[in-house]
Amino acid sequence: MNTEQALMQRSDSRCELCASIEQLVVFAVSPYDDADHSQCVMTCVQCRDQLAAGSELDPKRWHSLNDTVWSPIPAVQVLSYRLLKRLAAESWAQDLLDMVYLDEETQTWADAIDTPVDDDDPTLDGNGSQLFAGDTVVLVKDLDVKGASFIAKRGTAVRGISLTNNPEHIEGRVNGTRIVIISAYVKKSN
């Protein structure tokens, strides 16, 4: 059985991202090629066109990720996770990303192309320790949260932070609200 036949059988002849039955094609999840069906996803042409690096995503099209990110198939999980990362500016996508759990091998695969290779300055906490996405930090001072009606108190743990393009800022959830925090006002939790 070739890759396309195996994927058609696995997907019940549907796009594994949006469930469309029209114009299905094999999509190899990088860094792999289409030699092994376990490293591929059956997609419709519309989904495939938006999967290309640098293409603009239509957020309305991708609400189906609420279901597909929980697929038992690692290739579907990886592709769903990567799409959610690209859509992280949408609150529903960021909320879903905050809930997603991938096993270590699948997470490594999902992060394989998302690892930036550049010479940007690292994000450092108030003690000079380098911060990474997913770290837990603790606030070292009370912070007045702009646009919200609360003060983030000193000692508050912020779990699963995200890095931003600015090495002096991180993002995290405090009291259920996603906020930008100046990295000098936190310390890395061990």
Side-chain angles (χ1 to χ4, degrees):
M1 182 179 321
N2 69 25
T3 300
E4 184 174 7
Q5 291 170 331
L7 289 175
M8 289 296 269
Q9 184 176 4
R10 179 180 85 191
S11 69
D12 196 27
S13 300
R14 294 184 175 278
C15 173
E16 292 181 279
L17 297 174
C18 74
S20 173
I21 58 172
E22 297 179 12
Q23 297 181 306
L24 300 177
V25 293
V26 173
F27 184 84
V29 181
S30 65
Y32 303 108
D33 58 26
D34 62 2
D36 183 351
H37 76 278
S38 68
Q39 300 164 343
C40 299
V41 173
M42 183 60 71
T43 67
C44 65
V45 172
Q46 292 79 16
C47 285
R48 189 217 41 216
D49 290 346
Q50 287 197 26
L51 291 171
S55 65
E56 189 166 331
L57 296 179
D58 174 10
K60 292 177 188 166
R61 174 172 196 77
W62 297 109
H63 283 281
S64 60
L65 295 175
N66 284 316
D67 296 323
T68 61
V69 76
W70 305 111
S71 169
I73 300 157
V76 176
Q77 292 175 354
V78 167
L79 208 47
S80 299
Y81 180 84
R82 288 178 180 174
L83 285 164
L84 286 169
K85 293 282 275 188
R86 288 177 60 189
L87 291 163
E90 300 289 323
S91 61
W92 64 268
Q94 186 59 55
D95 289 343
L96 190 53
L97 263 176
D98 291 342
M99 291 187 291
V100 168
Y101 170 80
L102 301 177
D103 64 53
E104 188 175 343
E105 184 178 335
T106 306
Q107 185 71 55
T108 301
W109 181 10
D111 292 337
I113 64 163
D114 293 329
T115 304
V117 179
D118 56 35
D119 296 328
D120 287 347
D121 294 330
T123 301
L124 305 176
D125 71 1
N127 295 331
S129 298
Q130 186 170 357
L131 298 174
F132 298 95
D135 282 348
T136 297
V137 297
V138 176
L139 300 178
V140 295
K141 67 179 273 182
D142 290 351
L143 301 176
D144 186 19
V145 180
K146 293 181 181 175
S149 60
F150 68 90
I151 294 176
K153 295 290 187 184
R154 176 182 177 184
T156 300
V158 182
R159 293 174 176 74
I161 65 164
S162 299
L163 302 182
T164 67
N165 292 336
N166 183 342
E168 296 177 3
H169 294 156
I170 60 169
E171 290 185 5
R173 283 198 184 278
V174 176
N175 294 343
T177 303
R178 190 154 188 87
I179 63 172
V180 175
I181 305 167
I182 297 173
S183 61
Y185 297 156
V186 300
K187 70 176 180 177
K188 191 172 187 174
S189 179
N190 294 330

